[in-house]
Amino acid sequence: MSDNTPDPLSKRAAELLAIAVTVAREAADTARSMRAEGVSGVSTKSTDTDVVTAADRAVERQVIAALGALRPGDTVLGEEYGGTDGAGSVRWVVDPIDGTVNYLYGLPQYAVSLAAEVDGVAVAGVVRNAATGDEWTATLGGGAYRGRRRLGGSTQTDLAQVLVATGFGYDAKRRAHQAEVLTRLITRVRDIRRFGAAALDLCLAAEGGVDAYFEKGLNPWDHAAGGLIAREAGLLVGGLDGRPAGPDMVVAAPPAIFGPLTELLAELDAAGGP
Ligand code: LIP
């Protein structure tokens, strides 16, 4: 008889996921209720279109406080407040509101993204659309889920039939290069979609709502949870030329498409430019 006892890492991942889901749900409630009261405290960061609101800051403070109470000693890395100095092997990576411009405009495509890493490897992740309540989760080796539904990504094998989601940076010079790449890419695939939140784009790819996703310029908090969800749904997630996913490029695609897509993106210098 096979031993059904979960291995220690799976058990730990499940425990971390339970905490992540509890914290993310409370954070998403805050984001949604603050939006209902109207956007406040708007300022800008890297450019005059890179906005941050009072809700981004409040939600991240809430996540930091909740994790500090539940997991004292862990490190938390967040978009708005950077990293705390935890002593343990667990690091939490949080984007309090991914899709901040959508949040600013009241477009229902913004999410709380929270991942738990053990020794630098994401083992649990949750992405929760704060506007709709849609929620995606994954644990390392445990599969990806939307609610209780197990996810499998696209099985597309023909690059010319691929619906690709992507995004653009806040810097106009970077967007100019990204637009040049896009004008040459769009005739080589089915079509493009741009929804405005990397974490949700990765979840959409995980459930086959688009076939693939790529973007240059993401931060760890944009893709830590969504990248695990996409991987656990059977997609390959990485950068170009065999590099890991990172600020130069994040690509998520089904195994048959990942190679041709990354080769095409490299040919188009998609990781290049400002
Ligand atoms: C956003 C990403 C999106 C990208 C935007 C922005 P933010 O993150 O989720 O994919 O295209 O430029 O970086 O700023 O809303 O947390």
Side-chain angles (χ1 to χ4, degrees), residues 60 64 74-86 91-92 94 221:
E60 186 164 323
I64 292 169
D74 288 359
T75 298
V76 181
L77 171 65
E79 178 170 8
E80 310 310 341
Y81 292 95
T84 63
D85 294 328
R91 180 175 82 158
W92 299 88
V94 55
W221 43 81

Side-chain angles (χ1 to χ4, degrees), residues 79 95 97-100 167-168 170 194 196-198 213 215 218 222:
E79 178 170 8
D95 192 335
I97 299 179
D98 188 42
T100 300
F168 308 107
Y170 289 117
R194 195 304 195 242
Y213 164 73
E215 186 161 355
L218 295 184
D222 292 316

Side-chain angles (χ1 to χ4, degrees), residues 45 49-51 56 79-80 95-103 109-111 166-171 175 178 194-201 213-219 221-223:
K45 298 187 292 188
T49 58
D50 182 4
V51 294
D56 293 89
E79 178 170 8
E80 310 310 341
D95 192 335
I97 299 179
D98 188 42
T100 300
V101 173
N102 288 344
Y103 182 86
Q109 194 75 3
Y110 52 89
T166 190
F168 308 107
Y170 289 117
D171 176 82
R175 288 203 303 277
Q178 291 172 313
R194 195 304 195 242
F195 296 105
L200 292 174
D201 290 335
Y213 164 73
F214 77 95
E215 186 161 355
K216 170 188 170 66
L218 295 184
N219 290 297
W221 43 81
D222 292 316
H223 63 90

Side-chain angles (χ1 to χ4, degrees), residues 199-240:
L200 292 174
D201 290 335
L202 285 161
C203 292
L204 197 57
E207 64 180 37
V210 293
D211 296 303
Y213 164 73
F214 77 95
E215 186 161 355
K216 170 188 170 66
L218 295 184
N219 290 297
W221 43 81
D222 292 316
H223 63 90
L228 176 63
I229 291 164
R231 282 191 192 90
E232 287 298 319
L235 299 185
L236 297 182
V237 180
L240 304 188

Side-chain angles (χ1 to χ4, degrees), residues 100-257:
T100 300
V101 173
N102 288 344
Y103 182 86
L104 185 69
Y105 281 77
L107 302 174
Q109 194 75 3
Y110 52 89
V112 174
S113 175
L114 182 58
E117 297 175 343
V118 175
D119 297 327
V121 177
V123 298
V126 55
V127 174
R128 187 174 177 90
N129 185 318
T132 66
D134 293 319
E135 181 179 275
W136 295 262
T137 60
T139 54
L140 184 63
Y145 293 82
R146 178 172 176 170
R148 295 183 181 278
R149 174 163 61 93
R150 179 99 185 224
L151 299 180
S154 166
T155 55
Q156 184 58 256
T157 58
D158 179 359
L159 185 61
Q161 295 295 316
V162 167
L163 185 63
V164 186
T166 190
F168 308 107
Y170 289 117
D171 176 82
K173 293 186 177 68
R174 171 169 290 180
R175 288 203 303 277
H177 179 74
Q178 291 172 313
E180 286 173 19
V181 171
L182 204 55
T183 54
R184 296 156 62 198
L185 174 72
I186 200 164
T187 57
R188 308 280 292 275
V189 297
R190 174 193 290 270
D191 203 348
I192 296 292
R193 294 289 185 272
R194 195 304 195 242
F195 296 105
L200 292 174
D201 290 335
L202 285 161
C203 292
L204 197 57
E207 64 180 37
V210 293
D211 296 303
Y213 164 73
F214 77 95
E215 186 161 355
K216 170 188 170 66
L218 295 184
N219 290 297
W221 43 81
D222 292 316
H223 63 90
L228 176 63
I229 291 164
R231 282 191 192 90
E232 287 298 319
L235 299 185
L236 297 182
V237 180
L240 304 188
D241 303 320
R243 290 191 294 272
D248 289 344
M249 183 57 66
V250 174
V251 180
I257 296 295

